[in-house]
Amino acid sequence: MKPTILAIESSCDETAAAVVSGYNILSSLVYSQINIHKETGGVVPEVAARAHLEKVLPIVDRALFTAFSTQKWRLGLGREFLNKIDAIAVTYTPGLIGSLLVGVETANALALSLKKSVIPINHYEGHLASFLTPKQDLNFPVLALTVSGGHTSLYLMTSPSRFEVIGRTKDDAAGEAFDKGAKILGLPYPGGPAIEKLAKGGDKSRFKFPVPLSLQTGFDFSFSGLKTALLYTANKVDLNSDQTKKDLAASFEMAIATALVSVTKRAALAFSPKAIALVGGVASNQTVQDEVRTLTKNLNLDFYLAPKELRTDNAAMIGLAAAIKYKTNTSHDVYPEAQA
Ligand code: KG4
Ligand code: ZN
């Protein structure tokens, strides 16, 4: 049986709700707090938690309505469809505790009143599920590169539900490197898209950012050295020159992509997967995509890219991860333990 799952995600600065039926996404809505956090150049946890509180019920209501009706939504109409839900999935860790609490307690309260179970989902498992689609025939094992604002890891997946971490970042995540690099260049939050835009007219070979020795063996990543190298270079050059700024952005973007691909290539050669998957917010970066795609071509592997709307944080990926769990484990805890 394909379970119909209502999923909630509120681990950082997106309030999201979705309804999935198996791997089919019936609705997926995201309220992004980006405009709120732009003013402070990053996420302020207290502000994020309050914004989640304001949006979580309207977005759940709207996700339910959108999944089951083609009419125009008005607040309160979605709750009429709560009886169609088999279980409620929610991101329970990792994340900002105030933000997580909003989603977890909303899920618990709904589950309690509906007498349904809660499927607690780790946020990273959600990102990992984001390339699964009902149409695709996927070849496992898959080497999954997850690149987001809080997370950069390589997983070896032998099936949608079986995976192990084989490498992770020792310091900053790739998205964090983009965000911090953008601050150095005086660009707005979130930094990834801003750097990508600026890099378009830049020369990616003008500035050389060395790959640290620690990245030349093993499967772990490190990006804090790159950020420091950018800071030193930015202090030496004239940032009032538009072209210099563009060249710096392009070179920095290329250095991140190169670091990601060199570790991924080493892992692919060591673990012989059938495919490489690219997921997470940074997967939207064209240079990163191109470099990973080229790697898969050279190694004769399939390339699975998470769909655009599932790359940055969303609840559909949490629903997909829950759909996998629902199949393999039908006795879910009604009240997940607080493990954050
Ligand atoms: O997956 P995500 O929404 O959040 C976490 O789970 O952390 O990813 C957000 C991250 C941010 O750091 C943002 O700068 C980065 O993804 N990002 C990008 C691009 N779009 C988003 N980085 C580089 N290029 C992009 N086009
Ligand atoms: Zn994420």
Side-chain angles (χ1 to χ4, degrees):
M1 163 220 164
K2 270 197 207 167
T4 302
I5 296 173
L6 168 67
I8 301 173
E9 153 67 44
S10 68
S11 62
C12 187
D13 59 345
E14 264 96 23
T15 321
V19 178
V20 302
S21 166
Y23 289 174
N24 286 300
I25 299 168
L26 304 186
S27 68
S28 177
L29 286 137
V30 180
Y31 169 73
S32 171
Q33 303 175 0
I34 278 181
N35 285 336
I36 301 175
H37 301 305
K38 257 187 182 152
E39 287 171 25
T40 42
V43 180
V44 177
E46 164 86 14
V47 175
R50 286 177 190 277
H52 284 305
L53 262 184
E54 212 176 279
K55 295 293 177 196
V56 70
L57 285 179
I59 216 143
V60 162
D61 190 74
R62 191 166 183 166
L64 284 165
F65 188 80
T66 312
F68 301 111
S69 171
T70 50
Q71 307 290 306
K72 199 167 178 304
W73 172 72
R74 280 199 331 274
L75 187 61
L77 295 183
R79 65 182 161 205
E80 304 301 325
F81 299 99
L82 273 168
N83 60 351
K84 294 189 181 286
I85 298 300
D86 296 312
I88 298 161
V90 65
T91 307
Y92 76 97
T93 197
L96 303 171
I97 188 64
S99 293
L100 285 166
L101 271 171
V102 175
V104 168
E105 288 314 305
T106 304
N108 278 340
L110 283 171
L112 182 68
S113 61
L114 295 171
K115 298 191 180 70
K116 301 286 176 191
S117 44
V118 169
I119 308 178
I121 299 292
N122 179 303
H123 182 80
Y124 304 147
E125 273 185 64
H127 276 297
L128 265 190
S130 65
F131 72 93
L132 305 171
T133 75
K135 287 177 218 110
Q136 236 173 335
D137 276 335
L138 301 172
N139 285 317
F140 286 89
V142 173
L143 181 65
L145 174 61
T146 63
V147 272
S148 69
H151 183 56
T152 295
S153 293
L154 274 171
Y155 293 86
L156 190 65
M157 303 175 75
T158 47
S159 76
S161 59
R162 292 172 67 100
F163 50 84
E164 58 171 323
V165 186
I166 56 166
R168 53 162 65 92
T169 181
K170 294 174 178 167
D171 39 57
D172 294 349
E176 204 178 345
F178 272 112
D179 294 336
K180 290 179 176 169
K183 260 194 181 169
I184 294 170
L185 296 178
L187 302 172
Y189 171 86
I195 289 197
E196 175 160 35
K197 198 167 158 212
L198 184 66
K200 285 232 153 65
D203 173 4
K204 60 179 188 266
S205 58
R206 175 160 166 205
F207 297 101
K208 294 270 173 284
F209 293 107
V211 178
L213 274 177
S214 61
L215 287 194
Q216 293 173 18
T217 55
F219 311 118
D220 285 337
F221 301 91
S222 164
F223 292 101
S224 73
L226 211 51
K227 173 197 65 194
T228 312
L230 176 70
L231 183 64
Y232 281 142
T233 315
N235 285 340
K236 273 192 266 168
V237 299
D238 175 16
L239 280 189
N240 291 320
S241 152
D242 278 353
Q243 192 55 49
T244 300
K245 225 168 143 175
K246 286 180 185 171
D247 294 347
L248 208 46
S251 303
F252 183 66
E253 180 184 59
M254 194 62 209
I256 293 178
T258 306
L260 288 170
V261 166
S262 64
V263 178
T264 307
K265 180 177 178 184
R266 204 159 41 239
L269 293 175
F271 292 94
S272 308
K274 295 219 171 69
I276 294 178
L278 181 61
V279 304
V282 180
S284 282
N285 184 278
Q286 195 60 52
T287 304
V288 171
Q289 263 180 42
D290 291 347
E291 292 297 306
V292 177
R293 188 179 279 109
T294 305
L295 175 69
T296 56
K297 276 198 186 132
N298 292 342
L299 298 180
N300 208 11
L301 304 175
D302 287 349
F303 178 47
Y304 305 143
L305 177 65
K308 192 172 185 325
E309 58 287 0
L310 297 197
R311 289 180 206 146
T312 47
D313 290 349
N314 64 87
M317 68 183 192
I318 303 301
L320 293 177
I324 299 166
K325 290 225 156 129
Y326 198 91
K327 264 189 264 170
T328 52
N329 169 15
T330 47
S331 65
H332 306 287
D333 288 341
V334 177
Y335 310 110
E337 282 174 35
Q339 296 172 49

